[in-house]
């Protein structure tokens, strides 16, 4: 149980285009999801916290107009990278907060999405 | 300000040996200390986690040692195997704070 999927697993796009990444909790409802960014050989950096039915909370330094997050249902959150540029190329990982009855701090991570902007 | 410091950055251990990775934190409010394992091109997966009410937790070959007074915790991998070769991240958080703060990561390589 507690499986999180991401789609697509990798994407290549041209500079200036927008890319949407989906994060789904497959077997549980996730009121809170998180989006991370990871550069090669670096740690995970939290970009934003996504709560179902409300606006996402962005970390300091993350452009909310560039990284649009929507959490329209209890099983789906999306991250849209708008007007992507080569410096947005990175590994994007989502996670979902553990459902009720499990550790309150535990997060289940998706497999990640590799974005390459040409 | 780095909330959690992880060391070493990289580690090479012979097969069958013990791998030890350390993390130190400053904020005494932290009360959940997980370790994550990440393989290249994959998302991190929870390996083992501990709360400050115990000093040690063991799950199979993986053990967390926790020193509350020193504000340090470590991951021990016993009988290390080539399949353990991965990057390991410690993390910290506290009750009421749903965010995880990750350490800088340790790239572990197990050699035959």
């Amino acid at each position: 149980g507690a499986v999180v999927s991401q789609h697509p697993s990798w994407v290549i796009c041209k500079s200036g285009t927008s890319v949407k990444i989906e994060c789904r909790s497959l077997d549980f409802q996730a009121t809170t999801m998180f989006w991370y960014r990871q550069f090669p050989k670096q740690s995970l950096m939290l970009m934003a916290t996504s709560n179902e039915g409300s606006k996402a909370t962005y970390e300091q330094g993350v452009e909310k107009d560039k990284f649009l997050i929507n959490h329209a249902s209890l099983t789906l959150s999306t991250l849209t990278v708008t007007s992507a540029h080569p410096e947005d190329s990175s590994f994007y990982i989502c996670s979902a907060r553990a459902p009720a009855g499990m550790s309150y701090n535990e997060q289940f991570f998706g497999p990640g999405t590799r974005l390459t902007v040409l | 300000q780095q909330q959690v410091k992880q060391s070493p950055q990289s580690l090479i251990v012979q097969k069958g040996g013990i791998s030890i990775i350390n993390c130190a934190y400053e904020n005494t409010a932290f009360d959940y200390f997980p370790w994550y394992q990440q393989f290249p091109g994959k998302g991190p997966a929870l390996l083992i986690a501990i709360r400050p009410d115990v000093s040690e937790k063991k799950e199979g070959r993986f053990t967390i040692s926790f020193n509350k007074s020193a504000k340090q915790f470590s991951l021990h991998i016993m009988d290390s195997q080539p399949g353990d070769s991965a990057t390991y991240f410690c993390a910290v958080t506290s009750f009421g704070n749903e965010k995880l703060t990750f350490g800088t990561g340790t790239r572990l390589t197990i050699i035959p």
Side-chain angles (χ1 to χ4, degrees):
Chain A
V3 178
V4 176
S5 70
Q6 278 184 245
H7 178 80
S9 55
W10 59 270
V11 57
I12 301 173
C13 69
K14 292 183 178 180
S15 185
T17 62
S18 294
V19 174
K20 180 185 283 188
I21 302 170
E22 292 185 349
C23 176
R24 293 182 184 273
S25 56
L26 297 185
D27 49 6
F28 66 102
Q29 293 183 332
T31 55
T32 304
M33 290 184 171
F34 304 88
W35 287 95
Y36 295 85
R37 185 173 182 175
Q38 186 179 34
F39 290 108
K41 298 184 180 181
Q42 293 191 21
S43 188
L44 284 79
M45 297 301 296
L46 180 65
M47 299 176 65
T49 302
S50 169
N51 291 296
E52 187 266 338
S54 63
K55 290 184 177 180
T57 302
Y58 292 81
E59 294 300 299
Q60 191 173 10
V62 177
E63 300 175 61
K64 61 180 181 180
D65 293 330
K66 181 168 187 62
F67 299 99
L68 301 179
I69 292 172
N70 184 283
H71 193 160
S73 78
L74 289 172
T75 60
L76 173 65
S77 176
T78 60
L79 168 68
T80 301
V81 183
T82 62
S83 186
H85 291 283
E87 57 265 30
D88 298 323
S89 298
S90 189
F91 194 49
Y92 293 87
I93 308 170
C94 73
S95 71
R97 190 176 179 181
M102 299 184 74
S103 170
Y104 64 80
N105 287 118
E106 190 166 352
Q107 293 181 23
F108 297 96
F109 286 82
T113 296
R114 173 76 58 194
L115 170 63
T116 301
V117 185
L118 303 177
Chain B
Q1 181 182 359
Q2 196 174 359
Q3 296 195 60
V4 56
K5 295 182 180 180
Q6 183 172 345
S7 62
Q9 188 174 13
S10 63
L11 180 62
I12 299 174
V13 174
Q14 205 146 20
K15 179 183 175 183
I18 303 173
S19 305
I20 302 174
I21 305 170
N22 303 295
C23 278
Y25 61 97
E26 289 296 323
N27 190 342
T28 55
F30 293 139
D31 66 350
Y32 181 67
F33 306 90
W35 284 93
Y36 288 86
Q37 178 188 57
Q38 185 180 31
F39 293 104
K42 304 294 183 183
L46 178 65
L47 200 57
I48 187 172
I50 197 169
R51 298 200 183 280
D53 52 341
V54 295
S55 61
E56 185 175 283
K57 183 175 182 180
K58 183 176 181 180
E59 289 184 1
R61 296 186 294 110
F62 303 94
T63 301
I64 296 181
S65 295
F66 183 77
N67 186 328
K68 189 174 182 178
S69 60
K71 293 184 287 186
Q72 296 175 347
F73 60 108
S74 59
L75 175 68
H76 297 237
I77 305 175
M78 313 298 287
D79 187 25
S80 299
Q81 298 296 315
D84 297 329
S85 297
T87 300
Y88 293 81
F89 294 95
C90 65
V92 294
T93 189
S94 57
F95 182 76
N97 177 6
E98 52 193 3
K99 302 177 187 178
L100 286 170
T101 300
F102 285 86
T104 50
T106 297
R107 177 170 287 191
L108 174 65
T109 303
I110 308 300
I111 56 175

